[in-house]
Amino acid sequence: MADWTLRESLATTSGTVRWDRFGDPGGEPVVLLHGTPFSSYVWHEIAPALAACGHHVHVWDMAGYGTSDMYPDQDVSLEAQGRIFTELLAHWGLEEPSVVAHDFGGCVALRARLLHGARYRRLALVDPVALKPWGSPFFRLVGQHSHVFGQLPAALHEALVREYVTSASHLGLRPAALDALVRPWTGERGQAAFYRQIAQADQRYTDDIQPLYPTLDLPVTVCWGTEDTWVPFAKGQELAALIPGARLVPVPESGHLVPLDAPARLTSELLAFLGPEGT
């Protein structure tokens, strides 16, 4: 899917979010959640592959990300994203889909399940932000001084975002993929949105739910890039140990951006977990 365009939208409490779905409407539903500072584009290879194997695949750009609304004073916190995801599931009429969540999307999916009553058939967590402490020194620095970084000249800001996004990959991103991930954060609106989402990131949103992980009562797989320098593999081991019955799947030669570093390997693991026809 070279032209990654989300064709549908939903008005939410944090502005309009863009979404789309692929595959047979009669197939087992699967929802893919992205993280930060990314967008649903991270799934542009995996979504059609899952759809081709019989799944009805749903994707969305979180509020303040990708092609969704971005505006001053917008609530793009993890708390808001968890509520929005619950709204989306109701809008889609999905009572118990399988969910695959990367990075911040992991926290969003977990909050929706543990705090907002969302029901999933299965849950796959891919290098999620789920355990304290989190946030790299760079991430914390930007969060504490977002008003200063927001005033960077446009060219310096774009160079910073490119370097930051690039560091999430172990193998290196193709130019087209890097451009697609950086583009939403450029321009006056995108630059402000980039620092807004970092400023609103807060560990308390995972602290709220971390004690509840042992209560999860559904099949869970935890996929983790062994070369992840953003959230180290040891966090995957820790998380899998907290969730009853969870299976840890190391993804070798992959950094934090597993969906782009190892799309074929991750797709294979997801199909084995979800079942090729949603069985």
Side-chain angles (χ1 to χ4, degrees):
M1 292 188 177
D3 181 21
W4 184 256
T5 302
L6 303 187
R7 298 166 293 182
E8 305 290 343
S9 63
L10 176 68
T12 77
T13 51
S14 287
T16 298
V17 296
R18 305 290 302 181
W19 64 271
D20 212 331
R21 53 191 165 199
F22 314 99
D24 180 2
E28 287 289 335
V30 178
V31 184
L32 308 178
L33 286 78
H34 69 84
T36 182
F38 314 118
S39 69
S40 60
Y41 180 83
V42 298
W43 303 112
H44 78 282
E45 294 182 81
I46 293 174
L50 295 179
C53 291
H55 297 285
H56 194 206
V57 182
H58 298 64
V59 297
W60 63 296
D61 284 345
M62 292 194 293
Y65 292 75
T67 55
S68 292
D69 272 356
M70 300 175 176
Y71 55 83
D73 301 320
Q74 183 181 18
D75 186 356
V76 296
S77 66
L78 288 166
E79 180 181 23
Q81 307 294 356
R83 293 196 312 267
I84 292 168
F85 183 46
T86 307
E87 293 176 38
L88 268 173
L89 292 175
H91 178 69
W92 291 332
L94 300 182
E95 295 183 357
E96 200 172 46
S98 293
V99 171
V100 180
H102 176 243
D103 185 78
F104 265 22
C107 178
V108 172
L110 287 164
R111 286 183 66 90
R113 169 80 181 196
L114 294 168
L115 301 182
H116 301 298
R119 301 290 301 173
Y120 311 145
R121 188 176 68 90
R122 293 175 180 270
L123 175 62
L125 298 168
V126 183
D127 295 62
V129 174
L131 298 173
K132 64 180 179 183
W134 54 264
S136 67
F138 167 80
F139 194 87
R140 291 193 294 270
L141 176 67
V142 173
Q144 292 164 5
H145 304 284
S146 58
H147 62 291
V148 176
F149 282 89
Q151 298 175 56
L152 285 174
L156 287 179
H157 162 72
E158 182 172 345
L160 181 152
V161 176
R162 283 184 174 275
E163 181 62 27
Y164 182 47
V165 170
T166 298
S167 71
S169 168
H170 175 65
L171 299 176
L173 296 170
R174 296 190 301 273
L178 180 58
D179 288 346
L181 293 176
V182 171
R183 189 178 303 115
W185 303 120
T186 59
E188 184 177 348
R189 186 184 74 132
Q191 181 167 342
F194 179 79
Y195 298 110
R196 182 182 306 118
Q197 53 91 18
I198 294 180
Q200 293 185 27
D202 195 311
Q203 185 179 291
R204 64 192 170 96
Y205 297 124
T206 53
D207 290 348
D208 287 345
I209 55 175
Q210 185 169 333
L212 303 177
Y213 296 160
T215 70
L216 287 167
D217 58 352
L218 75 165
V220 175
T221 192
V222 178
C223 299
W224 216 285
T226 59
E227 308 304 317
D228 189 341
T229 59
W230 282 24
V231 189
F233 181 71
K235 285 293 184 184
Q237 296 172 308
E238 183 182 351
L239 179 61
L242 288 174
I243 301 173
R247 175 172 172 255
L248 177 63
V249 179
V251 183
E253 295 300 313
S254 181
H256 188 67
L257 268 174
V258 175
L260 294 179
D261 272 0
R265 174 65 182 270
L266 182 56
T267 299
S268 176
E269 294 292 350
L270 292 176
L271 286 174
F273 180 62
L274 301 172
E277 299 295 337
T279 55

